[in-house]
Amino acid sequence: MSDKTETMATNETEPVSPPIEEEIARERIYIDGDEAHFERVDITNVDVNLFDGRRFEHLEPRRLFPRTGLERYITLLDDDGNEVAVIRNLASLPAEERRVIEMCLDEYYHVPHITKITGSLEKFGVIKFFCETDRGDCTIEVRNIVHQIKLMYGIRVMFLDNDDNRYEIPDIRKLDRKSMSYLNDYL
Amino acid sequence: MWGQTDTNGKAKYLFMEETHVTNADFMHNRELDEGELLLVESAVPDGERFVFVLSTDLNKKSRYAVNYLAATDTALYSVDEEGESERVPYESIERCYVKRNYGNAVFIIKEANGRSRNFSRFTYTSASIFDAAAQFAETMAEGETGLHDAQAVVEAALERRRSYCPKCGRALSRPGAECIYCQSKHKLVKKVAKYVLPHKYVLLVCLVLSGVTTATAMLPPYMTKTLVDDVLPNGNKPGLNTVVIMLLFAYILQYGIGMIRSYLLRVCGDRIVRDLRSDVYRQAQYLPMRFYDKTSTGSVINRISGDTSTIQAFMLRVTQEVVVQLFTLVGIVVIMMSMNWQLTLLSLIPVPFVVMGSRIFGRKIRPYYRKIWRRWSAVTSILTDSLPGIRIIKSFTNEKEATENFDHYNEEWLKTDIKSARITIAFPQIVSFVITMGSLLIWAVGGRLVIESPDFITAGDLVAFISYTSMFYGPVNFFANFNDSYQSTLAAAERILDIIDAEPENNAGEGKTLEHMDGKIEFKNVSFSFDRSKKALSNVTFTIEPGDVVGIVGTTGSGKSTLINLLMRFYDGYDGEILMDGVDIRQIDMEYYRSQIGYVQQEPMMFHDTIFNNISYGTPNASVEEVMHAADVANAHQFVARMPDAYDTVLGERGTGLSGGERQRLSIARAVLKNPSVLFFDEATASVDSETENLIQTAIERLISGRTTIMIAHRLSTLRRANKIIVVDKGEILEMGTPEELLAKKGKYWRLVEIQTMSDKVAASKAEERFE
């Protein structure tokens, strides 16, 4: 358990490890709607002040469903990787609070959105896609199309390249015809 | 900043537009061009010596751009694409590490003043080299080792990168070697051709036979011409008999020789495929675990079964059909030209259409084949997933969902297959139609000529001509589609060579054995990651003395089993050193090394064989009494003896027919028989009840006596014989010492003991309640 996990907003300064029984029985803290204030302390971490008086420091927001639920169930982990609280739905947070969490998530998750595929090349068992993304131009190299290119819900395509980097096409219907022709061979 | 004079006066280089440093002056992960050299050099004050410059692929804002992390003998520099730079001298560094995010990683420097800097950002592609850079920076910050020693870690990391092909990322046979996959495709064919060479004489005979059958196949149309022109109009009965008998002999020759040829080819083909399969399977035994982490066993099976057949078929096509078809093509054209060159040219009119059509068809159909293959893979993967787990499906009454899931993917396959059928069915029909149109053209033009100028061309000529024309399109189609089958065979060859030519487990120490393995194990700064997204072990250092019984504890995913995986040499691509009796384990003969180790897993693997053979697996020459003794030591003999077929009991797939505890005791018996110097137990009692655990525990205690033993255990009661405990957390050693020392320390181990004691108490009281 982190020594930063929980400090009450009282004069208590020493972090207190909860008794083991309490740790086992601990219930998950859900944050819904206007229940907390988030302060960004570095690129991927926030301090959380719950309006019931509890304060948690240096927590890292992470998606529990990074592929299937980008806005739902955002876990807040302490420095030891222990979950402290869960935001049920980002959409339920006030705009400012939501923005803080989104900024952290944007820094943590580097999943470029592919906007255009300008070419593809299949050679030596490696397929290269030359792409334009919202984060600049890149080349995606894929060896195993079954495992590394996944079509989800009929419209969303997830890529995992040979180096375990991730890319996404949120909606293939929005791709131009040429991009689609490069992609279509592998879907 | 770029284009401005900075405080260090570096701008002079900008005005001069030439650099003083070159790529040869420092280590790098990628060569810098003149502009980049200028950019990096301008950030570094005079008098500092470059050690390395690493290029990133992201800027700090997480956009694709090349930034630089430069290390000199006194400081680290971060330089962005605009020339903006940050400098952190080593003495102000408290900690330096790479934080892996999702799809990107950040090089973080914690300074002594408490400031934390996100110094560089990059994708996973470059992460490993930056780990080494972080280690370098920390070593420099400690100041205890010289620059030369500190940079060794970066040198080693860069050398490892050279062990992978920059084009395809596959392992190379040695650093800097040519990648077998990225070499020319002709070389690929050459590699596969070596399987054909041993059969060259048989294939040569087949080729001669092919020539004979092809020549005889050309006779019937000519005979037909004789029949139509000479025999039938003149009512020449003896002539008719002669022609029919000649045709009969021609057909007997054609089909008889064809039969012999087909048999020889079949034998030849079977031998080729046998050799290929054997090589692939043999090689598959020696592939490193990393290969199997990334490649499903199903795919390896497919390669051994499907791809080998594809290659065999193609090699026979190349060695036989190409020659035969070429021979046929030339022969027919010559015969047709000699009969009537005008009609021959006329009959060639559809050729360009057929050839072009075949090329277009090949391009159109390929994605469909790929899609069908994907859909079919999805269907088969559901089969291989669900059928072995049928008990689970039934126990959760999930039969309906399982069926629906299967139907869904089966339906997807159907849709794709029907779509492709529209092309695959239509195309041959269209080609046939075009060819028939050609025949119609010949009928129309040739027929008119026969009627108007019977001296110019006879009816027999025309009939023979039509027959030759239809024969002519066989080779045309063959060559039009040859490139496609060449491409698909190359793909199959690549998949096969992926295994055959893959770098097997590194056995650099082949032939080097230890006089006697005492069992002293040392980990020195060992770091390892399975993939690039997360480090499984970070800078692990510990020593185990001979005869020590060491318990490794930690939460799930903490890195316990990874330690065993590295010790077993399932993975060799780690940083740092692991020593056995003072020798780097990578420098010891693999077979000898593993033969000295007994390894008992949580889920013991049993083969579909007798209990006796399962125990003597790995020690095939063991006598009956040795096997029985091993079973005695492992507390297995009693239950084996009670079975109707005792040691002759044939176990089902994966040991079905035995309980988990029984399987475990057999695997311990296997280890006993091996008489190893060192023993590893990976959660050996995790999935058995307390009574069985006691039986196994007694067996283990008999086995470990006098041997260096490492035991991974969730159940701390298993570690009662341990004289040393190593607590692992998040890939790092958290605590190490005797159980008493760690309990007194009241740290993580103490907490684990407390939690387990409490859960044991709860479990015991619940059990008591039930009994009451």
Side-chain angles (χ1 to χ4, degrees), chain B residues 13-43:
Chain B
Y13 297 126
L14 304 180
F15 295 129
M16 287 163 67
E17 290 202 343
E18 62 178 41
T19 57
H20 287 169
V21 289
T22 65
N23 282 293
D25 294 333
F26 48 76
M27 294 184 283
H28 48 76
N29 57 344
R30 151 184 170 274
E31 292 226 335
L32 306 187
D33 63 28
E34 196 67 16
E36 291 177 306
L37 284 169
L38 210 57
L39 200 68
V40 173
E41 195 183 8
S42 67

Side-chain angles (χ1 to χ4, degrees), chain B residues 110-184:
Chain B
K110 297 238 183 228
E111 290 181 77
N113 60 13
R115 185 178 172 191
S116 176
R117 291 181 195 240
N118 299 305
F119 211 56
S120 293
R121 193 189 279 253
F122 33 85
T123 66
Y124 289 158
T125 310
S126 328
S128 60
I129 186 71
F130 283 88
D131 283 327
Q135 215 174 322
F136 165 84
E138 283 199 342
T139 313
M140 291 297 287
E142 284 164 11
E144 287 166 10
T145 4
L147 176 66
H148 183 73
D149 289 338
Q151 71 187 37
V153 65
V154 181
E155 265 171 28
L158 285 167
E159 187 65 14
R160 265 200 310 283
R161 277 175 75 87
R162 291 185 67 234
S163 303
Y164 293 92
C165 173
K167 281 184 193 164
C168 69
R170 288 180 167 106
L172 301 174
S173 54
R174 60 188 158 72
E178 190 189 4
C179 176
I180 54 151
Y181 304 96
C182 300
Q183 55 191 248
S184 88

Side-chain angles (χ1 to χ4, degrees), chain B residues 710-749:
Chain B
I710 297 181
M711 305 171 95
I712 292 178
H714 266 308
R715 229 179 255 182
L716 301 179
S717 58
T718 317
L719 303 178
R720 60 191 180 207
R721 284 282 308 276
N723 65 340
K724 193 180 269 180
I725 299 288
I726 296 175
V727 184
V728 189
D729 192 39
K730 292 180 191 157
E732 291 177 5
I733 303 290
L734 209 62
E735 294 169 8
M736 188 162 47
T738 64
E740 296 75 26
E741 282 170 357
L742 297 189
L743 284 174
K745 200 176 168 187
K746 293 209 166 180
K748 180 90 175 177
Y749 179 67

Side-chain angles (χ1 to χ4, degrees), chain B residues 443-473:
Chain B
W443 273 117
V445 178
R448 189 175 292 273
L449 284 173
V450 170
I451 295 164
E452 289 173 359
S453 334
D455 295 338
F456 182 70
I457 184 167
T458 64
D461 282 340
L462 187 62
V463 171
F465 217 89
I466 298 286
S467 301
Y468 283 127
T469 308
S470 60
M471 284 170 71
F472 170 76
Y473 278 97

Side-chain angles (χ1 to χ4, degrees), chain B residues 569-768:
Chain B
R569 292 190 59 190
F570 290 151
Y571 300 90
D572 270 348
Y574 51 83
D575 297 325
E577 277 184 316
I578 302 174
L579 309 179
M580 177 66 76
D581 293 347
V583 181
D584 189 326
I585 58 170
R586 288 176 287 201
Q587 299 304 321
I588 303 174
D589 184 274
M590 176 87 80
E591 205 177 325
Y592 163 79
Y593 178 74
R594 286 193 182 144
S595 72
Q596 298 297 311
I597 295 172
Y599 178 41
V600 180
Q601 292 170 274
Q602 182 180 355
E603 299 281 340
M605 181 67 199
M606 293 290 134
F607 297 98
H608 180 47
D609 205 338
T610 62
I611 287 182
F612 183 90
N613 287 342
N614 265 292
I615 295 177
S616 63
Y617 185 82
T619 323
N621 297 323
S623 70
V624 171
E625 288 188 17
E626 281 170 338
V627 170
M628 282 166 58
H629 173 71
D632 269 334
V633 174
N635 274 337
H637 180 76
Q638 295 299 331
F639 84 79
V640 174
R642 279 195 294 273
M643 299 174 91
D645 286 324
Y647 283 95
D648 281 335
T649 306
V650 176
L651 301 180
E653 268 181 65
R654 295 175 195 192
T656 46
L658 295 180
S659 71
E662 287 168 340
R663 282 201 296 274
Q664 194 57 278
R665 278 178 277 168
L666 288 188
S667 79
I668 291 172
R670 205 186 265 167
V672 172
L673 199 60
K674 202 174 170 189
N675 192 23
S677 308
V678 179
L679 278 162
F680 302 146
F681 292 92
D682 192 350
E683 311 263 15
T685 58
S687 48
V688 293
D689 59 75
S690 305
E691 201 181 327
T692 313
E693 187 194 355
N694 275 335
L695 284 169
I696 294 174
Q697 198 61 34
T698 327
I700 290 175
E701 282 172 15
R702 283 179 198 145
L703 177 58
I704 64 178
S705 167
R707 295 182 169 104
T708 305
T709 304
I710 297 181
M711 305 171 95
I712 292 178
H714 266 308
R715 229 179 255 182
L716 301 179
S717 58
T718 317
L719 303 178
R720 60 191 180 207
R721 284 282 308 276
N723 65 340
K724 193 180 269 180
I725 299 288
I726 296 175
V727 184
V728 189
D729 192 39
K730 292 180 191 157
E732 291 177 5
I733 303 290
L734 209 62
E735 294 169 8
M736 188 162 47
T738 64
E740 296 75 26
E741 282 170 357
L742 297 189
L743 284 174
K745 200 176 168 187
K746 293 209 166 180
K748 180 90 175 177
Y749 179 67
W750 174 80
R751 285 174 66 79
L752 287 169
V753 172
E754 286 286 299
I755 290 171
Q756 208 154 91
T757 314
M758 202 176 73
S759 0
D760 287 349
K761 276 182 196 162
V762 172
S765 69
K766 277 187 180 166
E768 228 166 75

